[in-house]
């Protein structure tokens, strides 16, 4: 089998991989290969912001993962959509731009990861960002990914939501990513002139013309190739053809929190006992691969409204037509936005040292489908909205591991939700808080009734049981190849170098030491920016 040779081989053309590839390709004397298992992101439903509604179950752009039944969720499985397309999950997500709170990164550093404190990562957030009006102390201009302030375009109910939260003592904040991350307000989103702004659109597309960058789609990596403990290349499938490529300088894994540990295990890197049970020779015993899985778990409360909501705009056929015409003419309106419009980061009680709950306010409702199956363009045929929450920093830990030597078989995913008393208490506290917000004016003044869970659910036990029956993922799996100072509990060091192996780096959301307080796309971009900068520094490039 003939092997092609590149200086850098990157596995995974998702959020992080597109950043890494574009930055490496700036070296004119270095050849870069980016492998992506999915196809092109040039689809209308990817580029039109509200189009992500059509992508949750789209096989052509989605891995369509499913977890094992979880006893803490009444034995239910969770559906985990992950992007299988250039741009990865950043091409199919709801576009909320949220970096995480200062304390998240201070905690990363306190866990033994030097150089990952808030002041260390802020320059890389700014490097990645093109923000129109942000405070220059906290925001960047001219970077690849655009951040849009949509506070002037959100549904009027958002102001009622924020005012009701203020009446409960929570502060209003105009910028969750600025000086004051705690509080309630309107989420910024990643769009540019009414189109999705993500690493595929902004990083990769700018770099595609460079002759030293090769992008191969529909290329499923099946194994990292090693000589001894040194990573020297990658084997992949493209259709029925098996191909091997060699990396002169570095192999980079950017497959994300599910695919990266899966590929390592297929390559003989993981828990040796589990690998041997599948007939895989253990190259390097690394028991942390696939462990420490963290995710955000949310539940929604639905309320009927006396005033029109997005249900009334996006439900009727004529409403869809009007919204489409407005979008074509102005690139504004509900099709140019996410339905996650309002939100916040708050403390469930004053004794909490930092915000421990994230809130969402959506001026739309889907009472006939679960969180993981919302038909965003087919909402309820009546005026209603929802309020949601998730714990910012859950303490439950799950795991994933391969159950087959076949790389086309999805790994076994066990989230292990609600497995600590702290997570159970925050679930109860969050449910009580949603009720308090809905009972506060001026939001309460337009509520006709609580649709779900309904007035019959009252006690803490009933609230928790409802949470178990209806809560689901917010699509933020992380930490399965976590960074840390101890190779027995971590997979990479603070420079994102794989322990026990040479010439191999992991740069994606799997290296998070702990999940951040909020949406995970922006911190994944930051990790990619910082990771590739450290890699080039170490290589003297």
């Amino acid at each position: 089998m003939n092997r092609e040779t590149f200086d850098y081989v990157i596995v995974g053309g998702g959020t992080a991989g597109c950043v890494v590839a574009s930055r490496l390709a700036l070296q004119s004397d270095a050849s870069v290969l980016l492998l992506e298992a999915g196809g092109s992101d040039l689809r209308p439903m990817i580029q039109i912001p509200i189009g992500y509604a059509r992508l949750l179950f789209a096989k052509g752009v989605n891995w369509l993962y499913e977890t094992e039944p979880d006893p803490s969720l009444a034995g239910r499985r969770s559906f985990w959509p992950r992007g299988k397309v250039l741009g990865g999950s950043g091409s199919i997500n709801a576009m909320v731009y949220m970096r995480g709170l200062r304390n998240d990164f201070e905690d990363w550093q306190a866990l033994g990861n030097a150089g990952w404190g808030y002041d260390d990562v802020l320059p890389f957030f700014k490097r990645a960002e093109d923000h129109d009006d942000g405070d220059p102390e906290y925001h960047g201009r001219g970077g690849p990914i655009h951040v849009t302030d949509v506070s002037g375009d959100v549904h009027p109910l958002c102001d009622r939501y924020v005012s009701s939260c203020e009446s409960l003592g929570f502060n209003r904040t105009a910028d969750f990513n600025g000086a004051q991350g705690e509080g309630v307000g309107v989420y910024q989103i990643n769009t540019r002139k009414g189109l999705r702004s993500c690493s595929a659109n902004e990083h990769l597309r700018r770099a595609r013309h460079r002759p030293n960058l090769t992008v191969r789609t529909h290329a499923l990596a099946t194994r990292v190739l090693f000589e001894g403990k040194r990573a020297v290349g990658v084997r992949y499938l493209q259709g029925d053809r098996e191909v091997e490529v060699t990396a002169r300088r570095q192999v980079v894994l950017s497959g994300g929190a599910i695919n990266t540990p899966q590929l390592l295990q297929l390559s003989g890197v993981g828990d040796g006992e589990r690998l041997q049970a599948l007939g895989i020779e253990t190259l390097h015993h690394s028991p942390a691969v696939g462990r420490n899985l963290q995710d955000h778990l949310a539940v929604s409360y639905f309320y009927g409204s006396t005033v029109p909501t997005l249900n009334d705009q996006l439900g009727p056929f004529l409403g869809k037509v009007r919204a489409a015409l407005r979008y074509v003419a102005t690139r504004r309106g509900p099709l140019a936005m996410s339905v996650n419009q309002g939100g916040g980061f708050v403390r469930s009680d004053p004794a909490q040292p930092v915000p421990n709950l994230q809130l969402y306010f959506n001026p739309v409702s889907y009472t006939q489908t679960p969180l993981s199956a919302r038909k965003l363009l087919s909402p309820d045929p009546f005026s209603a909205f929802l309020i949601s929450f998730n714990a910012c920093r859950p303490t439950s830990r799950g795991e994933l591991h391969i159950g087959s030597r076949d790389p086309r078989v999805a790994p076994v995913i066990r989230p292990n939700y609600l497995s600590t008393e702290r997570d159970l208490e925050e679930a109860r506290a969050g449910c009580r808080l949603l009720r308090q917000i809905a009972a506060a004016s001026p939001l309460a003044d337009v509520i006709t009734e609580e649709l779900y869970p309904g007035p019959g659910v009252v006690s803490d036990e009933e609230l928790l049981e409802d949470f178990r029956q209806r809560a689901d993922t917010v699509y933020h799996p992380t930490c399965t190849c976590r960074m840390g100072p101890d190779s027995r509990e971590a997979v990479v060091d603070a420079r994102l170098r794989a322990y026990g192996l040479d010439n191999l780096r992991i740069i994606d959301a799997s290296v998070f030491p702990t999940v951040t307080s909020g949406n995970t796309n922006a911190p994944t971009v930051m990790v990619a920016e910082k990771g590739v900068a450290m890699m080039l520094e170490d290589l003297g490039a």
Side-chain angles (χ1 to χ4, degrees):
M1 181 184 297
N2 293 327
R3 288 188 184 180
E4 291 182 274
T5 299
F6 297 84
D7 290 301
Y8 303 99
V9 176
I10 306 157
V11 178
T15 294
C18 288
V19 176
V20 174
S22 70
R23 295 301 189 191
L24 290 177
L26 290 173
Q27 303 174 81
S28 59
D29 63 341
S31 57
V32 180
L33 173 64
L34 178 64
L35 300 174
E36 167 54 40
S40 170
D41 65 319
L42 294 179
R43 296 172 176 235
M45 290 299 101
I46 289 178
Q47 302 305 323
I48 299 171
I50 199 66
Y52 75 94
R54 300 292 191 195
L55 303 175
L56 282 177
F57 297 92
K59 185 176 181 180
V61 298
N62 197 325
W63 287 99
L64 303 174
Y65 288 122
E66 192 174 65
T67 72
E68 294 296 289
D70 195 319
S72 293
L73 298 186
R76 294 182 294 120
R77 296 178 184 267
S78 286
F79 173 63
W80 282 17
R82 309 305 299 160
K84 186 181 182 182
V85 63
L86 285 174
S89 296
S91 287
I92 68 171
N93 69 356
M95 298 157 293
V96 172
Y97 180 72
M98 181 61 212
R99 297 172 174 176
L101 301 176
R102 175 184 286 269
N103 61 280
D104 296 329
F105 306 104
E106 296 303 295
D107 286 351
W108 284 15
Q109 181 156 272
L111 289 170
N113 299 294
W116 290 91
Y118 180 79
D119 291 337
D120 300 306
V121 302
L122 180 59
F124 295 96
F125 278 118
K126 293 170 68 174
R127 174 184 295 184
E129 185 184 65
D130 184 19
H131 199 295
D132 289 335
D133 304 307
D135 181 346
E137 184 176 349
Y138 296 95
H139 291 286
R141 292 194 179 186
I145 297 180
H146 192 264
V147 179
T148 301
D149 179 357
V150 295
S151 57
D153 293 328
V154 296
H155 193 281
L157 274 176
C158 287
D159 190 61
R160 285 182 179 267
Y161 155 77
V162 173
S163 296
S164 291
C165 290
E166 286 183 295
S167 75
L168 297 175
F170 301 122
N171 294 323
R172 183 188 293 247
T173 181
D175 183 2
F176 294 114
N177 301 298
Q180 180 58 45
E182 181 174 359
V184 293
V186 172
Y187 287 126
Q188 300 164 348
I189 62 173
N190 286 129
T191 58
R192 185 190 296 276
K193 296 180 180 179
L195 296 174
R196 178 183 292 271
S197 181
C198 63
S199 62
N201 277 347
E202 309 289 20
H203 281 86
L204 190 62
R205 194 144 292 123
R206 298 181 187 195
R208 290 293 290 268
H209 69 280
R210 297 175 190 150
N212 62 331
L213 173 62
T214 301
V215 179
R216 291 191 180 146
T217 55
H218 304 290
L220 175 65
T222 61
R223 187 176 183 88
V224 179
L225 303 174
F226 291 91
E227 291 180 356
K229 293 291 186 78
R230 179 179 176 82
V232 296
V234 173
R235 181 182 299 153
Y236 68 92
L237 287 173
Q238 197 169 39
D240 296 327
R241 188 170 66 106
E242 190 172 60
V243 184
E244 291 187 356
V245 290
T246 300
R248 278 186 289 257
R249 300 186 189 178
Q250 200 103 105
V251 175
V252 182
L253 303 188
S254 297
I258 297 177
N259 296 91
T260 287
Q262 178 189 25
L263 181 60
L264 284 173
Q265 292 169 359
L266 289 168
S267 306
V269 180
D271 185 293
E273 186 175 340
R274 281 183 166 174
L275 296 179
Q276 289 170 15
L278 292 171
I280 297 175
E281 182 180 354
T282 302
L283 173 77
H284 176 62
H285 176 62
S286 182
V289 172
R291 293 180 179 167
N292 306 297
L293 172 62
Q294 298 174 42
D295 185 29
H296 289 139
L297 185 67
V299 75
S300 298
Y301 278 39
F302 297 86
Y303 295 93
S305 172
T306 61
V307 300
T309 67
L310 287 182
N311 294 6
D312 303 276
Q313 296 182 46
L314 298 180
F317 174 74
L318 289 179
K320 290 183 174 69
V321 171
R322 283 192 289 268
L325 291 174
R326 181 184 179 191
Y327 178 77
V328 171
T330 67
R331 292 283 177 88
R332 298 181 71 173
L335 301 192
M337 300 172 62
S338 170
V339 295
N340 292 315
Q341 296 186 2
F345 295 85
V346 301
R347 307 179 197 219
S348 59
D349 64 80
Q352 295 295 328
V354 294
N356 64 320
L357 298 178
Q358 181 178 9
L359 301 173
Y360 306 86
F361 178 82
N362 293 15
V364 67
S365 70
Y366 319 90
T367 59
Q368 300 174 10
T369 54
L371 178 66
S372 61
R374 289 178 179 168
K375 308 296 185 181
L376 302 187
L377 299 183
S378 300
D380 290 326
F382 48 82
S383 303
F385 60 85
L386 66 86
I387 318 174
S388 302
F389 83 93
N390 63 251
C392 288
R393 297 279 299 277
T395 53
S396 298
R397 300 290 183 263
E399 65 173 5
L400 68 88
H401 60 84
I402 57 173
S404 169
R405 298 170 61 179
D406 187 341
R408 293 162 294 194
V409 175
V412 177
I413 304 171
R414 293 191 173 94
N416 202 27
Y417 292 125
L418 301 178
S419 56
T420 68
E421 184 53 44
R422 176 180 173 84
D423 289 358
L424 290 170
E425 176 50 38
E426 289 188 330
R428 290 186 286 260
C431 293
R432 292 192 295 267
L433 178 58
L434 295 187
R435 285 258 176 90
Q436 292 170 9
I437 295 171
S441 292
L443 191 60
D445 301 336
V446 301
I447 291 177
T448 60
E449 61 179 321
E450 182 179 280
L451 301 170
Y452 285 96
V457 177
V458 178
S459 68
D460 279 358
E461 292 75 15
E462 291 168 335
L463 291 172
L464 183 56
E465 180 58 26
D466 174 72
F467 190 93
R468 293 186 190 278
Q469 293 288 341
R470 296 194 303 114
D472 219 325
T473 177
V474 195
Y475 319 126
H476 297 161
T478 54
C479 309
T480 50
C481 294
R482 68 186 300 195
M483 75 167 101
D486 187 343
S487 62
R488 294 168 298 180
E489 300 178 352
V491 180
V492 297
D493 64 16
R495 305 291 289 183
L496 307 188
R497 298 170 296 201
Y499 280 119
L501 303 168
D502 295 326
N503 207 41
L504 181 67
R505 267 185 167 84
I506 301 175
I507 305 178
D508 58 29
S510 72
V511 305
F512 288 18
T514 53
V515 67
T516 50
S517 297
N519 310 76
T520 53
N521 185 261
T524 300
V525 172
M526 177 277 293
V527 164
E529 292 279 14
K530 182 172 171 60
V532 72
M534 291 190 300
M535 182 173 74
L536 291 172
E537 183 180 38
D538 290 346
L539 294 173

